Amino acid sequence: MGLLEQARTVTVLCHRAPDPDTVGSGLALAIVLARRGVDVRVSFDGPTGIPDSMRDMPGREHLVPADGVHEAADLVVAVDCGGRERLGSLAACLDRARSSLVIDHHLSNTRFGDVNVVDPSAVSTTAVLADLFDDWGVPIDAELAEPLYAGLVSDTGSFKWATPASHLLAHRLLATGIDGSTITRELLDTHPFGWLPMLAAVLRSARLLPYVGGHGLVYAVVTLDDARHLRPAEVESVVDIVRTVGDADVAAVLKQTIDGWAVSLRSRAAVDVSRIAVALGGGGHRHAAGYSCTGDVSDVLRALVARMA
């Protein structure tokens, strides 16, 4: 914890299109540093803001726009970022800082910091932070527990992919008095009405390829028209519906972007989708990963099927 103890100005960077784990990690770390008198700012590269479900999260006062970060901080900390490219334009902050620290749990992490605290066995980056706080002698109270729990419940899919350690951490966080059921409902089970027609249109595109490399593949396509007026969180939620198909070991959702496609992958126990994603330029975890690519739908599917085969 030497870097964190010595720094007087700290910029904490979350990844682009931030999810609850990266935001929760950033806010929790900011709370701890601010209590120690550190000038800390949390930010991420656009184009989207933090999930609406986290707008009232403790620590939000430390969030600044991308142009509000320190010009040259003593320390830049990247949280929940598997690679430098996930920081977008704010990756330049790493070059201007005196030191950089990466805190993450992705198996595919490229160790791009001066110091890298990466635990692939952890279910979330907030779980890695909880261990760091223990090592640092930081007591976890309700203010810290809320952002830590947000990352934990999100990255375990509401404990679908939980480990014994993650259940123990959840018990500890809930024991501080936070309202876990409300946090979970707002993060995972609350959508605007426009989500329903989008979902109907996207599920009509779903197709099943039963024999791909010995494993079934189910996929669906989200076009720009489908996702118009919806937040990234609504679009990302589609993959967790598609993955419920029992006829396939791998689920993929192809999300059209301005300049190509963002592909989300989910798997059952038999397939490590992080290996597929890394081979296609992305990264992630054994059961949840993703990557970006260009071309038309047929090009994207052809490359995915070839890699699975």
Side-chain angles (χ1 to χ4, degrees), residues 259-275:
D259 53 1
W261 299 89
V263 181
S264 293
L265 301 176
R266 298 292 185 270
S267 78
R268 299 180 185 275
V271 181
D272 181 352
V273 289
S274 71
R275 297 179 63 183

Side-chain angles (χ1 to χ4, degrees), residues 106 108 273-274 277-278 281-285 288-291:
H106 292 91
S108 56
V273 289
S274 71
V278 168
H285 315 288
Y291 61 95

Side-chain angles (χ1 to χ4, degrees), residues 82 86 99 126 171 178 184 212 259 271 281 290 298 301:
R86 293 283 279 144
S99 302
T126 57
H171 177 272
I178 63 173
T184 301
V212 180
D259 53 1
V271 181
S298 61
L301 284 172

Side-chain angles (χ1 to χ4, degrees), residues 8-249:
R8 306 315 303 160
T9 56
V10 176
T11 295
V12 182
L13 298 179
C14 305
H15 61 65
R16 299 192 72 199
D19 61 13
D21 193 26
T22 194
V23 174
S25 298
L27 297 184
L29 182 56
I31 291 169
V32 170
L33 292 172
R35 289 176 180 177
R36 299 173 64 88
V38 176
D39 178 2
V40 56
R41 304 176 193 179
V42 183
S43 193
F44 53 86
D45 190 17
T48 61
I50 65 170
D52 288 349
S53 56
M54 300 191 74
R55 292 192 182 278
D56 294 327
M57 192 70 62
R60 63 192 179 282
E61 66 272 16
H62 303 296
L63 279 167
V64 300
D67 59 3
V69 299
H70 298 99
E71 179 61 29
D74 291 340
L75 177 65
V76 169
V77 185
V79 289
D80 197 46
C81 297
R84 180 187 172 105
E85 72 284 350
R86 293 283 279 144
L87 298 172
S89 65
L90 287 179
C93 293
L94 297 168
D95 304 321
R96 298 194 299 264
R98 291 176 58 186
S99 302
S100 59
L101 170 64
V102 171
I103 303 174
D104 190 28
H105 72 128
H106 292 91
L107 179 64
S108 56
N109 189 284
T110 60
R111 273 70 172 177
F112 58 96
D114 295 326
V115 175
N116 301 280
V117 180
V118 180
D119 182 3
S121 70
V123 293
S124 68
T125 298
T126 57
V128 178
L129 269 175
D131 287 339
L132 285 177
F133 292 160
D134 287 343
D135 292 342
W136 205 4
V138 174
I140 296 178
D141 56 17
E143 186 180 32
L144 276 178
E146 190 167 336
L148 291 176
Y149 189 79
L152 178 65
V153 75
S154 173
D155 263 31
T156 59
S158 195
F159 300 98
K160 293 185 184 74
W161 312 295
T163 63
S166 51
H167 283 294
L168 289 172
L169 177 58
H171 177 272
R172 180 182 174 193
L173 298 177
L174 292 171
T176 65
I178 63 173
D179 186 348
S181 61
T182 297
I183 294 171
T184 301
R185 183 173 62 252
E186 291 180 351
L187 286 175
L188 303 178
D189 296 326
T190 302
H191 303 288
F193 177 79
W195 181 74
L196 292 176
M198 181 274 290
L199 188 61
V202 170
L203 292 183
R204 282 196 295 271
S205 74
R207 298 291 184 273
L208 175 65
L209 304 178
Y211 304 108
V212 180
H215 305 283
L217 168 67
V218 59
Y219 71 89
V221 179
V222 184
T223 68
L224 287 174
D225 283 342
D226 293 330
R228 185 168 288 121
H229 309 309
L230 291 176
R231 304 167 303 178
E234 268 65 63
V235 177
E236 186 60 31
S237 69
V238 173
V239 72
D240 288 317
I241 296 174
V242 176
R243 68 176 292 277
T244 62
V245 173
D247 307 81
D249 290 314

